[in-house]
Amino acid sequence: MAQAYSMEGFEIRIDGHVLEMRTEGTRTAAMGRDPGRSFQSFMANSDIGGIVFDVRGAQYEFTDFEWEERARVLARLCHHVPTAIICRPDQTGQVARITEQIDARGGVALACRSRQAARTWLDSRVPSNVTG
């Protein structure tokens, strides 16, 4: 299976045992279908021990209800592995809903401002020999 996949507005790649997904541009709730399917495929077919979402380049045009639904879906998909979300200061409230939902499902999540911070945190939690 490919170790990277990109489409307009998002990119997914595997770096070690960490799945990294980056989104950019204007994003609406309807745009989540293709990235969601790709994300689920990577999760199902790779030895993933951690996840990094980099949303700094994205501008989300979601209603409060749509954002809450997205937070629940992401939490359901990610709660079983440590998840770091890299965001801008103005995205803190939105990202907090995702981390809260992951935590509520017994997972661990971190909101941070840089890839370095995300990887340092994940590297302390992801075994180097993850086996699905």
Side-chain angles (χ1 to χ4, degrees):
M1 173 160 196
Q3 293 296 301
Y5 178 76
S6 63
M7 212 175 139
E8 184 177 342
F10 80 96
E11 176 184 8
I12 298 173
R13 70 185 195 107
I14 305 292
D15 184 4
H17 293 287
V18 175
L19 182 149
E20 296 186 4
M21 184 168 176
R22 181 184 49 80
T23 58
E24 61 184 24
T26 300
R27 311 300 295 166
T28 64
M31 296 171 121
R33 289 183 189 103
D34 288 336
R37 282 192 295 266
S38 299
F39 176 79
Q40 289 178 12
S41 178
F42 268 78
M43 291 294 289
N45 296 297
S46 305
D47 290 332
I48 302 300
I51 300 168
V52 173
F53 290 109
D54 187 343
V55 300
R56 294 173 293 180
Q59 182 62 41
Y60 291 95
E61 294 183 358
F62 288 19
T63 66
D64 290 343
F65 176 78
E66 289 169 333
W67 191 260
E68 191 66 27
E69 285 298 310
R70 179 63 50 92
R72 287 186 181 128
V73 167
L74 288 173
R76 181 178 46 79
L77 295 171
C78 302
H79 74 276
H80 64 287
V81 294
T83 302
I85 305 170
I86 309 167
C87 63
R88 301 183 313 259
D90 63 303
Q91 296 169 317
T92 299
Q94 293 173 317
V95 169
R97 289 305 300 142
I98 298 168
T99 60
E100 289 165 5
Q101 289 290 326
I102 292 171
D103 291 344
R105 286 169 174 75
V108 292
L110 173 75
C112 55
R113 300 282 184 248
S114 72
R115 184 178 185 278
Q116 176 71 37
R119 288 306 303 249
T120 298
W121 181 77
L122 281 174
D123 288 346
S124 71
R125 287 163 175 73
V126 177
S128 60
N129 61 346
V130 173
T131 56

